[in-house]
Amino acid sequence: MPQTTPPLDKATLGLVTLFLTSGATHLVRPQVFEGMVPHVLPRRRELVYVSGVAEIACALGLLHPRTRKVAGLASAALLVAVFPANLQMSASHAKRAQRKEDTASTAFFAGTVARLPLQWPLIRTALRAAGRL
């Protein structure tokens, strides 16, 4: 029995919007993301550009029924691949919050930590779009 393409639901549209916005920002303001790239990786600017293009490609793939399954899997893989960057961002802001000891730095650090578990619902949405959940 052939599998049907999962519908373009609100959650998937939200992921599309997130990827398009973030991907465009990666290309227009790469310096914002360079500090998130784990220090062990070389060529940070290029990696930011590549991840931005990947986000846009995944978003566009999720929109079309013919490419939604593959794009859903690619989106889940991309979200897993960038998770270390999110960890790096939290670690960097933890150091700043400790040094500055001001409310804004501490609040921003708390936001980066709160953001980490939000990656999992995004991965689930991508896998649902792929027809895997």
Side-chain angles (χ1 to χ4, degrees):
M1 177 166 49
Q3 285 185 310
T4 60
T5 301
L8 184 60
D9 59 8
K10 288 181 183 179
T12 304
L13 276 174
L15 185 58
V16 166
T17 302
L18 178 73
F19 274 165
L20 288 175
T21 303
S22 179
T25 306
H26 276 70
L27 300 178
V28 175
R29 295 194 36 125
Q31 65 277 10
V32 171
F33 298 95
E34 286 177 6
M36 292 175 62
V37 177
H39 301 297
V40 297
L41 297 175
R43 304 175 70 159
R44 289 182 179 172
R45 173 76 49 115
E46 289 86 348
L47 289 171
V48 170
Y49 286 140
V50 167
S51 63
V53 169
E55 287 181 349
I56 292 168
C58 286
L60 296 176
L62 288 168
L63 289 173
H64 196 282
R66 209 177 237 175
T67 55
R68 189 166 302 134
K69 290 180 184 182
V70 171
L73 291 174
S75 297
L78 178 62
L79 289 163
V80 169
V82 300
F83 192 72
N86 295 333
L87 290 172
Q88 179 66 50
M89 180 174 61
S90 290
S92 296
H93 286 288
K95 290 177 186 175
R96 288 184 193 141
Q98 288 173 346
R99 278 195 315 259
K100 292 183 179 180
E101 296 181 5
D102 64 33
T103 312
S105 294
T106 303
F108 195 81
F109 165 64
T112 66
V113 171
R115 176 180 185 252
L116 293 174
L118 296 177
Q119 200 85 359
W120 305 119
L122 296 174
I123 293 168
R124 286 183 53 85
T125 297
L127 292 174
R128 240 188 344 270
R132 296 296 174 113
L133 291 180

